[in-house]
Amino acid sequence: MLPLIVHAVETGAPEPAVPLAVPEPVRHAAELIDTLLAPAVLGRYQDDMDEFRGEAHRILDELGGDETYLSVMRNLVDESSRMLLRADLAREVTVG
């Protein structure tokens, strides 16, 4: 599983409307937020998170053990892999 920023860079995030080379820190931050929260990037990231969650559940099933503990572990996996980002956050985030 890749951090979101690495995922965006490696999977070809859409080109920003203004090049990131613009020498204004606020514009850089706003462009970065727009890039990271682009629906295409978030969709691919969600797919990776779903794959991670499924793999973690399969490993827990293979390991077996007391169902009480397995249930707790499954819940931890589910909580840690929830998608908390959404594309509409870009409009809600204030930079500067």
Side-chain angles (χ1 to χ4, degrees), residues 58-73:
R58 282 189 295 280
I59 291 170
L60 288 173
D61 291 342
E62 287 176 18
L63 291 173
D66 187 306
E67 186 55 41
T68 302
Y69 298 111
L70 284 175
S71 176
V72 170
M73 295 300 289

Side-chain angles (χ1 to χ4, degrees), residues 18-36:
V18 177
L20 293 178
V22 176
E24 298 177 26
V26 172
R27 179 163 287 167
H28 287 283
E31 289 292 333
L32 180 59
I33 289 168
D34 288 344
T35 298
L36 293 177

Side-chain angles (χ1 to χ4, degrees), residues 10 21 34 52 76 84-85:
E10 288 186 355
D34 288 344
F52 160 78
L76 286 172
L84 301 175
L85 297 171

